[in-house]
Amino acid sequence: MKVKVKLKPIRGFILDWLCSLPILQEPGKDMGGNPSCFHKPWRALPESDQEMIKFLKSYLLLNKNTSHLRILLQGPVGAGKSSFINSVESAILGRIAGRVMTDATSGSSFTKKFKTFQICKDESRKTHCSFVFNDIMGFESAHGGIHVDDVKLILRGHVAEGHEFKADCPLSKGQGDYLSNPSLAEKVHVLVTVIPAAAVSLLTDDVIKKMRDVRLDASNLEIPQFLILTKVDEACPEVEKTITNIYKSKYLKEQVEKICLLLGIPMNSIFLVKNYNSEMETSKDMNVPLMYALRQMINFGEDFLNSQKGI
Ligand SMILES: Nc1nc2c(ncn2[C@@H]2O[C@H](COP(=O)(O)OP(=O)(O)O)[C@@H](O)[C@H]2O)c(=O)[nH]1
Ligand SMILES: [Mg+2]
């Protein structure tokens, strides 16, 4: 017993020394140099964007009960939902695309109508990818946010295309825009919450509660869920300088850990993204984190659809 007590400090010292050896350092652990960045990214991304773009363009659903996989983007006004849809199309077309109206001024043009966005495979605009997006406004009451009950109806496919949401009056059975018997194609297959990286600590208790409520409902329906932290360039100067620092930034990793605890989303379902906003051309380094996040969404959505075969 006595010997054990005496050895304890020595054991601790040896452990500390071993852990400080570069060869034993975990990726994502600080190894000196730039104090705001880890030496190695804490998540390894593919080297190239081309294989992921090829996969996304050629992806076909196994489940023949729907022609597309539906991804619902939810999050605060100005979070970058419309920009994410545009960024996906930009990466796939290989040039900047701007079909979905983004809102730089946070004026009155918030997305209030329920609209489905398809992604063109090429410039002919005749063929589309097998995944589609819907984006809905956030829960913040300042902007007349969407009602939680409306989001639950969207998840189940009860909301018709073009429906105009009213914050104080959720859609109900019997109304014209209420689809009583939605097909699998009208239901949501992947739920994605979009939040600006620098806004994680600013989320109000009310918004967090509503997001968790929707998450729980989606979990009951077994819908896979993801979260993307956008505007990583605005949140971290090192990423603004060099986009490849995206998964090296200590600040951004902290935000991922924070939101993981706040919303109960596992770390491996949270992605960091910089949307195309001021760029004139697409680039591999910008595409990689965008395509990586989307590919994971598609993979999990595909698994979900394959579990719904009987429907
Ligand atoms: N710097 C930067 N700006 C972004 C990013 N994503 C979106 N924006 C800008 O943020 C504003 C709001 O984006 P928008 O896509 O309309 O947000 P939405 O309301 O969630 O659809 C627009 O001016 C975008 O150009 C990003 O990753 N980085
Ligand atoms: Mg929008």
Side-chain angles (χ1 to χ4, degrees), residues 76-83 102-104 231 233-234 274-275 277:
V77 169
K81 301 179 292 295
S82 305
S83 303
T102 56
D103 180 15
K231 303 190 178 183
D233 53 320
E234 283 182 358
K274 153 91 178 85
N275 288 318
N277 70 314

Side-chain angles (χ1 to χ4, degrees), residues 74 138-142 144-149 151-152 155 167 191 193 204-218 262-263:
Q74 65 150 0
F139 293 120
E140 326 87 273
S141 47
I146 196 164
H147 199 288
V148 168
D149 289 350
V151 184
K152 293 181 180 176
L155 293 180
L191 173 68
T193 303
T204 63
D205 289 347
D206 182 48
V207 170
I208 292 170
K209 192 174 158 290
K210 287 175 178 167
M211 282 180 177
R212 288 187 74 113
D213 191 0
V214 170
R215 245 184 67 62
L216 197 70
D217 191 48
L262 272 180
L263 296 180

Side-chain angles (χ1 to χ4, degrees), residues 78 80-83 100-103 109-111 135:
K81 301 179 292 295
S82 305
S83 303
V100 185
M101 283 295 287
T102 56
D103 180 15
S109 60
F110 313 127
T111 318
D135 77 321

Side-chain angles (χ1 to χ4, degrees), residues 10 72 147 149 186:
I10 301 169
L72 176 68
H147 199 288
D149 289 350
E186 281 148 347

Side-chain angles (χ1 to χ4, degrees), residues 281-306:
E281 314 254 348
T282 61
S283 69
K284 175 192 77 106
D285 290 344
M286 282 278 300
N287 286 346
V288 166
L290 282 161
M291 298 294 95
Y292 183 71
L294 181 59
R295 192 183 61 180
Q296 292 298 103
M297 293 171 197
I298 304 282
N299 284 341
F300 279 68
E302 174 69 15
D303 289 346
F304 170 71
L305 278 175
N306 292 335

Side-chain angles (χ1 to χ4, degrees), residues 43-60 88 91-93 119 121 129-131 246-247 271-273 276 283-299:
R43 181 176 289 161
L45 295 184
E47 284 280 310
S48 160
D49 56 345
Q50 287 310 308
E51 214 162 290
M52 293 188 285
I53 291 175
K54 206 170 137 196
F55 164 79
L56 294 167
K57 271 182 161 177
S58 59
Y59 162 67
L60 289 173
V88 166
I92 286 176
L93 290 180
I119 301 294
K121 273 191 194 176
C129 295
S130 302
F131 49 89
I246 192 162
Y247 283 100
F271 296 93
L272 297 169
V273 153
Y276 284 108
S283 69
K284 175 192 77 106
D285 290 344
M286 282 278 300
N287 286 346
V288 166
L290 282 161
M291 298 294 95
Y292 183 71
L294 181 59
R295 192 183 61 180
Q296 292 298 103
M297 293 171 197
I298 304 282
N299 284 341

Side-chain angles (χ1 to χ4, degrees), residues 30-212:
D30 185 17
M31 291 171 68
N34 186 337
S36 351
C37 284
F38 296 114
H39 181 68
K40 284 185 183 171
W42 57 272
R43 181 176 289 161
L45 295 184
E47 284 280 310
S48 160
D49 56 345
Q50 287 310 308
E51 214 162 290
M52 293 188 285
I53 291 175
K54 206 170 137 196
F55 164 79
L56 294 167
K57 271 182 161 177
S58 59
Y59 162 67
L60 289 173
L61 295 92
L62 262 181
N63 190 327
K64 297 300 170 207
N65 294 319
T66 171
S67 59
H68 55 255
L69 183 141
R70 186 178 295 276
I71 302 170
L72 176 68
L73 304 176
Q74 65 150 0
V77 169
K81 301 179 292 295
S82 305
S83 303
F84 180 71
I85 302 173
N86 283 335
S87 299
V88 166
E89 189 162 77
S90 302
I92 286 176
L93 290 180
R95 64 155 176 90
I96 300 296
R99 260 186 326 130
V100 185
M101 283 295 287
T102 56
D103 180 15
T105 54
S106 281
S108 57
S109 60
F110 313 127
T111 318
K112 285 195 173 149
K113 273 194 179 170
F114 190 58
K115 189 169 183 255
T116 301
F117 297 97
Q118 290 186 311
I119 301 294
C120 294
K121 273 191 194 176
D122 55 45
E123 297 293 352
S124 75
R125 305 215 156 268
K126 286 186 186 133
T127 50
H128 297 97
C129 295
S130 302
F131 49 89
V132 298
F133 292 101
N134 290 105
D135 77 321
I136 50 171
M137 64 188 134
F139 293 120
E140 326 87 273
S141 47
H143 296 295
I146 196 164
H147 199 288
V148 168
D149 289 350
D150 272 336
V151 184
K152 293 181 180 176
L153 291 180
I154 297 173
L155 293 180
R156 290 165 175 75
H158 289 302
V159 180
E161 186 79 9
H163 172 70
E164 191 149 344
F165 297 106
K166 292 180 190 77
D168 48 351
C169 180
L171 184 64
S172 57
K173 260 185 194 165
Q175 282 182 270
D177 286 346
Y178 185 95
L179 306 176
S180 304
N181 290 308
S183 67
L184 184 59
E186 281 148 347
K187 297 179 184 181
V188 168
H189 312 128
V190 178
L191 173 68
V192 181
T193 303
V194 184
I195 298 172
V200 169
S201 307
L202 307 175
L203 292 173
T204 63
D205 289 347
D206 182 48
V207 170
I208 292 170
K209 192 174 158 290
K210 287 175 178 167
M211 282 180 177
R212 288 187 74 113

